[in-house]
Amino acid sequence: MAKTWGMAGLILLTATGSALAAGYSIPEQSVNSVALAGGYVANTPGADATYYNPANMSWLENRTYLEANGTWIHLTSVKYRDDRTPAWNGKAEAENFFMPTLFAVSPDFNNFRFGFSITAPAGLAKEWRDPYPATYAEKFAVKVFEFNPTVSYRVNDRFSLAAGIRGVYVDGQIMSHGTVPVNDIPTPYGPMDSSSRIGRYMDGDAWEAGYNLALSIRPMDKMNIGITYRSKIDLSVKGHANMSTSDVALPALGGIVAIPGSTYNGDAGVEIPLPAVLAVAASYTFFDQLTVELGYNRTYWSSYDTLAFTYPSPLGNPVMQGAFGDPRAKSWSDTDTWRLSVAYDFKNNWILMAGFAIDENPAPDNTLGFELPDADARLYSIGVRYIINDSMEIGAAYLYDDKESRHVNNQYAVGEFTNEAAHLVTIGFSYKF
């Protein structure tokens, strides 16, 4: 008889499911990118060009550029209403974070420019305190940092190329406790149903590398076309796991069939993708004051097909294997994001910026869970920069990420997720010499 273990306790150690963008990415890393809702690829006039389109470093003044930013992120309290019983309703904790970023661009060296950035391109924080959601995601805390040196080459006054190396560090922690069903357990009397109390604490980290490519084309003085590509990076997270399952008692003819509980305390690993991203954008400046940019992003989430944890040896206990060892289908899809941004230079040291984006989510209904209740979103943003003098600027920006309510019916959730949104406030300072 085939042994089918339908255990709903396989928790996602990953992937950053952030409320800031579809999946678990955070595109907004600077004052300009937050103010323009990420519509910041074709026209990048600051040091953050090293991250958003390093080919545009060729068009900056022949000076050294430095920029530092700090972003406050507020994630709202996501609500879950279960269709089966109010006892399974839940509410995730609201979260607040601070995210610093740094950018630098060198002066020109025989048509070469060099840049460097420190960013946080992905991240997650979710905490569910109510018993049913906490079974799957009592706590998720994942941080991803990227260190990205780049180099650009100015081919001529109309064309520039760039490339970079991506060094990525990921650190994650998850915790979950609860009771889950154990289905179709094979016994001498046929398959039986029961339940088990499960618990897990895991942490791990990894260093990985990738690359990014960019080009910038200026078909006319007031127009710029930018294309960038950031490679997929497989994050092979290695760490420690402390897991347990309780005894499973099965009623049977003439008595009880029992499967004893089990514990595991040892090494664990999982591989998850930081997906490739292709960005294409065009900008045009009207009257030397109004710059409009239209951008398109394709994020290749289809590389996230299956989630599988690995251990040095088999877990042995069939309940523990079903809960924490069997692969889990994710079946994510590639997504499209459209961005529109505008920047207006008042010619009196003030520059006003605004943006709008439509962001698809990659997770299908049948694999959506409490660790990442993602949904399609609309992004609205505004910001301002003030030119202090020829060397210094300051800026501030605000972005609101409004995600749609989402109803799902799968083995993890049968109900509706609502009130998912994010607020970003960024302050930045730039200096050039």
Side-chain angles (χ1 to χ4, degrees):
M1 180 181 296
K3 298 183 177 182
T4 304
W5 296 81
M7 178 70 76
L10 186 57
I11 313 299
L12 177 69
L13 171 72
T14 126
T16 50
S18 166
L20 307 183
Y24 42 87
S25 62
I26 308 177
E28 301 84 11
Q29 299 288 318
S30 67
V31 165
N32 289 345
S33 63
V34 171
L36 300 169
Y40 190 61
V41 173
N43 181 58
T44 57
D48 51 355
T50 183
Y51 181 79
Y52 286 98
N53 186 347
N56 280 347
M57 294 190 299
S58 295
W59 315 133
L60 299 178
E61 290 182 76
N62 188 17
R63 303 169 72 178
T64 297
Y65 283 68
L66 300 173
E67 181 178 338
N69 300 272
T71 299
W72 171 74
I73 302 172
H74 174 73
L75 306 182
T76 58
S77 175
V78 181
K79 298 178 181 179
Y80 171 70
R81 179 188 56 78
D82 196 276
D83 291 345
R84 296 160 293 187
T85 169
W88 290 356
N89 292 350
K91 183 172 69 173
E93 297 291 314
E95 303 282 355
N96 293 281
F97 307 94
F98 178 74
M99 181 180 73
T101 58
L102 180 67
F103 308 93
V105 176
S106 77
D108 182 85
F109 296 99
N110 296 319
N111 293 328
F112 286 95
R113 301 288 289 264
F114 300 91
F116 181 74
S117 63
I118 301 175
T119 58
L124 165 68
K126 276 290 178 289
E127 292 190 31
W128 296 86
R129 300 302 188 191
D130 300 283
Y132 182 73
T135 301
Y136 306 103
E138 183 176 351
K139 180 179 180 179
F140 268 68
V142 182
K143 302 175 183 178
V144 179
F145 301 99
E146 181 170 335
F147 306 86
N148 186 199
T150 60
V151 58
S152 69
Y153 178 69
R154 180 172 178 157
V155 178
N156 54 46
D157 290 343
R158 299 293 183 185
F159 188 69
S160 175
L161 297 170
I165 298 173
R166 306 177 65 194
V168 173
Y169 174 74
V170 57
D171 177 79
Q173 180 186 91
I174 61 172
M175 181 166 52
S176 59
H177 295 87
T179 301
V180 296
V182 181
N183 302 320
D184 299 332
I185 299 177
T187 75
Y189 308 98
M192 308 292 292
D193 290 339
S194 188
S195 62
S196 176
R197 181 79 180 170
I198 65 169
R200 172 176 4 196
Y201 175 86
M202 298 185 72
D203 57 17
D205 62 0
W207 278 98
E208 301 292 350
Y211 65 90
N212 61 297
L213 305 172
L215 64 83
S216 182
I217 305 170
R218 287 187 159 182
M220 59 185 70
D221 290 342
K222 296 181 180 181
M223 183 177 186
N224 205 65
I225 298 172
I227 302 175
T228 67
Y229 178 79
R230 306 188 76 82
S231 71
K232 171 192 172 186
I233 300 178
D234 288 320
L235 303 175
S236 298
V237 179
K238 303 293 184 182
H240 186 83
N242 190 335
M243 307 180 300
S244 64
T245 63
S246 66
D247 297 342
V248 176
L250 303 169
L253 295 176
I256 297 292
V257 175
I259 297 177
S262 180
T263 62
Y264 177 85
N265 190 354
D267 294 338
V270 65
E271 185 173 289
I272 56 175
L274 194 59
V277 180
L278 173 67
V280 180
S283 67
Y284 191 86
T285 300
F286 299 88
F287 317 115
D288 292 324
Q289 288 184 280
L290 176 65
T291 300
V292 179
E293 178 166 330
L294 177 63
Y296 165 78
N297 289 35
R298 180 73 168 177
T299 305
Y300 296 94
W301 289 112
S302 58
S303 59
Y304 191 22
D305 186 56
T306 303
L307 177 69
F309 291 89
T310 58
Y311 308 93
S313 58
L315 294 176
N317 184 288
V319 176
M320 181 166 286
Q321 176 64 33
F324 305 129
D326 288 346
R328 173 179 167 183
K330 301 304 296 181
S331 304
W332 282 19
S333 301
D334 296 340
T335 60
D336 298 319
T337 303
W338 292 95
R339 306 181 191 275
L340 175 65
S341 62
V342 295
Y344 188 80
D345 187 346
F346 286 93
K347 300 299 183 180
N348 62 357
N349 296 345
W350 289 96
I351 299 171
L352 180 65
M353 300 169 286
F356 172 73
I358 300 173
D359 200 15
E360 291 182 336
N361 91 91
D365 286 349
N366 62 344
T367 67
L368 190 77
F370 290 96
E371 78 287 341
L372 178 51
D374 201 13
D376 294 343
R378 301 290 186 270
L379 283 68
Y380 310 87
S381 64
I382 192 168
V384 64
R385 298 203 316 270
Y386 177 72
I387 303 171
I388 300 173
N389 55 41
D390 185 54
S391 297
M392 293 185 290
E393 288 187 20
I394 57 173
Y398 168 74
L399 181 145
Y400 174 57
D401 185 336
D402 181 25
K403 290 187 178 290
E404 298 177 356
S405 298
R406 186 165 184 183
H407 192 278
V408 297
N409 186 342
N410 59 41
Q411 69 181 105
Y412 312 106
V414 180
E416 186 177 33
F417 292 97
T418 60
N419 198 48
E420 186 174 10
H423 302 267
L424 281 71
V425 176
T426 301
I427 297 175
F429 173 77
S430 61
Y431 183 76
K432 53 188 176 183
F433 57 91

